[in-house]
Amino acid sequence: MKKKNILKFLFLVVLFYPLFTLFSAVGNLGDVGLQEAHESVLNYQISIWVSWLVLVVASVYFKWNKQKNFFFFFTYAFVLVAFGFLGYLGQKLVTQYDLPNKFMDGYSFGVLHALQHIISSVVLTGFLQAAVWWFTRRWHRR
């Protein structure tokens, strides 16, 4: 099997795993108890981080060999969209099951939850992108 086909297959698996867990989590909200709904949202969060890890590995590999940032930019876009949905699910979980929180409006908890994950993953990805850029240059070894 060619390397390109393997990378395409991995790419599809990486995209469908969080999508599958997202639909599972959305379907479970309101239909099951609090514990099952919380577990499904947590499974979605875990799937995002696992997919992020695979995307970052592919991005580092592609940047190291081809000197292109396409996969890094795709990873940033993936993180924004996926964690945006996580914030939506977190807010929906809080409002649907009437969980206590410090915010009185209907969107602040979800926005804060999404921003925490987005900022941490973007900072980690940025450090990795900068490290690959730094180590692919020869001038830093002088």
Side-chain angles (χ1 to χ4, degrees):
M1 187 174 235
K2 292 182 180 180
K3 185 176 14 175
K4 189 174 184 179
N5 291 338
I6 292 172
L7 289 176
K8 284 181 184 178
F9 176 73
L10 229 103
F11 183 73
L12 288 176
V13 169
V14 164
L15 290 182
F16 281 124
Y17 178 48
L19 204 61
F20 175 73
T21 56
L22 173 66
F23 286 132
S24 173
V26 169
N28 282 345
L29 285 178
D31 294 338
V32 295
L34 174 63
Q35 185 67 26
E36 291 86 10
H38 183 265
E39 285 179 12
S40 65
V41 172
L42 186 63
N43 287 338
Y44 176 61
Q45 181 180 350
I46 291 169
S47 73
I48 294 171
W49 281 108
V50 167
S51 297
W52 172 83
L53 185 66
V54 172
L55 283 174
V56 163
V57 168
S59 300
V60 167
Y61 173 78
F62 194 71
K63 172 74 173 167
W64 193 275
N65 289 329
K66 305 287 185 188
Q67 300 294 322
K68 306 265 185 202
N69 287 319
F70 171 75
F71 280 109
F72 274 113
F73 294 141
F74 181 78
T75 303
Y76 291 127
F78 171 78
V79 162
L80 280 171
V81 171
F83 283 130
F85 280 116
L86 180 67
Y88 168 76
L89 287 176
Q91 183 63 45
K92 188 102 167 146
L93 190 69
V94 165
T95 56
Q96 190 123 19
Y97 293 98
D98 199 27
L99 298 175
N101 66 359
K102 296 179 182 179
F103 303 106
M104 297 300 169
D105 56 357
Y107 63 88
S108 294
F109 176 78
V111 170
L112 180 66
H113 188 62
L115 279 178
Q116 287 174 339
H117 289 286
I118 288 171
I119 290 171
S120 63
S121 61
V122 165
V123 166
L124 288 171
T125 307
F127 278 139
L128 287 171
Q129 186 177 8
V132 172
W133 174 82
W134 179 266
F135 284 108
T136 55
R137 305 287 180 248
R138 297 210 184 264
W139 56 267
H140 80 279
R141 297 181 191 156
R142 291 183 203 166

